[in-house]
């Protein structure tokens, strides 16, 4: 997950209100239910010590969700009477999550708004293709391509003229497959799609797949069914979920391999809070790997005003010259450091219940 969108959260000091709420269910009582939920969240923030202005800002923002068509809800990050950031979620939280703390509680975003692969579904036939953009928030047309329209059908005759006609049919198919592949590559570049799903007859899918640029080959899925009709939402979701799982699996494999010392005798990956804190202070985190349910995720660390001011013990910050310090969750402190240095973060929950040990790990920029 690219964390760059979180920069506004670290341009101002805390404390911060962090709230995750699901989308209102469309019923006759939606308006009233949303109001009650907003009031309950504001009351909980106040109980945790939030100022009245921030409580009001969050309450009003939640009530505005009654006008939203987003299916999974939002996260709200607020301070000083203002909602600073309110990203849409791609998965619904289980109930409301409310926290008032020195740092924004951003760790849940890795699973609730993290890996959200955008797909281009290409409905391919012998004459061309229609493209459809599919994501967690819905679908929309993404263009089409029309190839040669004749000849596209074979005959069963075996005389010379008919064999010549069949060769022309083959040439038409090959020409159209190349045009579809070129147009699909352009569509991917324009949309930034993570995944390309080909729908159609086996030969047509294979012909387009083979002609796509090498850089896209690892992003292509050929749907098992769906030829002649629109791909079902559950088929798209299955492909998206598998893409997320495979990416987490690849990164976890890199991490596990990098834990062993390299040629210089130093590991290329670390786990455990003390080693991660040291890496964060030295700006060495290249990618942060998190299991949100791991015991180290909510372990207490100490932070100062700057992202690299993080320590296991409060006295360590004083030794580093930081006079002001606050207690924070380890996952939130490490995410702040990752944002400051441009490092991504990834939840490995889909593929591991054991690694990284404690739930927190990182690939390093240099040993």
């Amino acid at each position: 997950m690219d964390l760059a969108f979180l920069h506004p959260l670290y341009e101002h000091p805390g404390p911060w209100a962090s709230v995750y709420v699901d989308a209102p269910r469309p019923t006759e009582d939606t308006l009233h239910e949303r109001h009650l939920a907003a009031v309950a969240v504001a009351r909980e923030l106040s109980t945790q010590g939030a100022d009245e202005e921030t409580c009001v800002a969050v309450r009003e923002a939640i009530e505005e969700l009654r006008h939203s068509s987003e299916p999974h809800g939002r996260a709200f990050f607020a301070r000083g009477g203002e909602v600073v950031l309110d990203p849409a979620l791609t998965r619904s939280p289980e109930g409301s999550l409310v926290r008032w703390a020195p740092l924004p509680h951003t760790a849940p975003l890795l699973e609730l708004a993290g890996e959200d692969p955008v797909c281009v579904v290409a409905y391919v036939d012998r004459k061309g293709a229609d493209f459809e953009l599919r994501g967690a928030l819905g679908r929309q047309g993404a263009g089409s391509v029309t190839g040669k329209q004749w000849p596209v059908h074979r005959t069963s005759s075996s005389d010379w003229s008919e064999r010549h006609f069949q060769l022309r049919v083959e040439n038409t198919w090959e020409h159209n497959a190349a045009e579809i592949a070129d147009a699909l590559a352009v569509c991917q570049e324009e949309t930034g799609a993570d995944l390309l799903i080909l729908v159609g007859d086996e030969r047509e899918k294979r012909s387009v797949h083979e002609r796509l640029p090498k850089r896209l080959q690892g992003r292509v899925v050929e749907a098992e069914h769906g030829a002649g009709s629109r791909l079902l939402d559950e088929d798209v979701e299955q492909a998206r979920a598998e893409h997320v799982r495979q990416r987490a699996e690849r990164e976890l494999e890199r991490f596990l391999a990098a834990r062993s010392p390299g040629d210089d005798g130093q590991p290329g990956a670390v786990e455990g809070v003390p080693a991660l804190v040291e890496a964060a202070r030295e700006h060495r985190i290249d990618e942060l790997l998190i299991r949100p349910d791991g015991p180290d995720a909510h372990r207490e660390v100490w932070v100062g005003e700057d992202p690299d001011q993080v320590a296991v013990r409060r006295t360590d910050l004083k030794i580093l010259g930081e006079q002001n310090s606050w207690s924070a969750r380890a996952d939130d402190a490490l995410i702040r450091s990752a944002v400051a240095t441009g490092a991504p973060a990834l939840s490995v929950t889909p593929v591991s219940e054991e690694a990284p040990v404690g739930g927190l790990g990182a690939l390093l920029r240099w040993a």
Side-chain angles (χ1 to χ4, degrees):
M1 180 180 187
D2 185 347
L3 303 176
F5 74 102
L6 296 178
H7 271 289
L9 301 184
Y10 306 111
E11 294 173 354
H12 306 283
W16 285 85
S18 303
V19 175
Y20 296 77
V21 295
D22 61 2
R25 294 168 179 77
T27 68
E28 294 181 359
D29 297 325
T30 293
L31 181 62
H32 183 60
E33 290 177 0
R34 182 53 52 185
H35 171 72
L36 293 178
V39 169
V41 167
R43 185 183 301 116
E44 176 60 25
L45 283 174
S46 180
T47 299
Q48 294 184 27
D51 59 277
E52 183 179 356
E53 292 80 4
T54 299
C55 293
V56 170
V58 171
R59 188 196 72 213
E60 291 177 347
I62 294 174
E63 289 184 337
E64 283 297 311
L65 280 181
R66 67 184 184 272
H67 303 301
S68 173
S69 59
E70 294 166 352
H72 302 294
R74 280 186 174 270
F76 298 96
F77 301 96
R79 62 168 296 280
E82 177 187 8
V83 174
V84 177
L85 194 66
D86 61 339
L89 304 179
T90 56
R91 287 179 53 193
S92 299
E94 297 181 2
S96 296
L97 190 160
V98 182
R99 187 178 299 276
W100 177 253
L103 292 181
H105 186 35
T106 52
L109 289 174
L110 297 185
E111 294 196 331
L112 298 181
E115 293 292 303
D116 176 27
V118 175
C119 306
V120 170
V121 181
Y123 297 97
V124 179
D125 61 32
R126 297 174 183 178
K127 297 182 179 181
D130 293 324
F131 303 146
E132 186 178 61
L133 197 63
R134 301 278 282 269
L137 302 181
R139 68 176 75 185
Q140 64 185 77
S144 62
V145 57
T146 302
K148 291 182 178 180
Q149 302 299 292
W150 185 89
V152 293
H153 296 289
R154 291 178 171 179
T155 66
S156 58
S157 175
S158 60
D159 65 40
W160 180 89
S161 62
E162 291 302 329
R163 290 199 301 272
H164 180 69
F165 179 80
Q166 290 178 16
L167 179 60
R168 293 176 63 190
V169 170
E170 293 285 345
N171 290 339
T172 300
W173 286 3
E174 299 299 322
H175 174 273
N176 288 353
E179 283 205 1
I180 293 168
D182 288 345
L184 184 55
V186 171
C187 182
Q188 185 279 330
E189 187 172 354
E190 291 178 345
T191 61
D194 305 283
L195 194 59
L196 305 176
I197 303 178
L198 302 179
V199 182
D201 291 335
E202 289 301 319
R203 174 169 180 168
E204 294 155 3
K205 291 186 297 186
R206 184 173 65 252
S207 295
V208 172
H209 191 164
E210 291 173 348
R211 286 164 176 77
L212 284 167
K214 194 171 183 179
R215 65 180 178 84
L216 297 180
Q217 290 296 326
R219 299 174 184 251
V220 182
V221 173
E222 295 185 20
E224 294 183 1
H225 51 84
S229 63
R230 278 336 197 205
L231 201 62
L232 297 176
D233 288 342
E234 49 264 39
D235 295 323
V236 175
E237 286 308 306
Q238 182 177 351
R240 281 161 40 88
E242 179 62 16
H243 177 80
V244 170
R245 191 196 65 78
Q246 289 179 357
R247 166 160 158 66
E249 192 172 63
R250 288 194 301 270
E251 293 307 293
L252 184 62
E253 288 175 356
R254 284 182 60 211
F255 170 80
L256 294 175
R259 289 189 306 184
S260 301
D263 295 338
D264 59 358
Q266 300 295 321
V270 294
E271 57 196 340
V273 171
L276 286 164
V277 163
E278 181 180 355
R281 282 205 300 260
E282 296 176 351
H283 299 183
R284 294 171 57 204
I285 294 178
D286 191 49
E287 183 177 39
L288 192 61
L289 276 61
I290 295 180
R291 285 190 295 111
D293 61 344
D296 281 352
H298 53 78
R299 179 172 166 178
E300 178 186 77
V301 297
W302 292 88
V303 298
E305 294 180 358
D306 296 327
D308 57 358
Q309 294 171 336
V310 54
V312 175
R313 293 176 293 273
R314 192 172 196 174
T315 52
D316 293 342
L317 283 182
K318 291 184 178 180
I319 293 173
L320 295 172
E322 176 59 40
Q323 298 303 312
N324 299 316
S325 59
W326 301 269
S327 172
R329 288 175 57 111
D331 52 4
D332 291 331
L334 291 169
I335 287 175
R336 181 178 71 154
S337 296
V339 170
T341 58
L346 177 70
S347 169
V348 294
T349 299
V351 294
S352 176
E353 297 181 356
E354 299 178 357
V357 174
L360 297 176
L363 287 154
L364 301 180
R365 287 185 170 143
W366 42 271

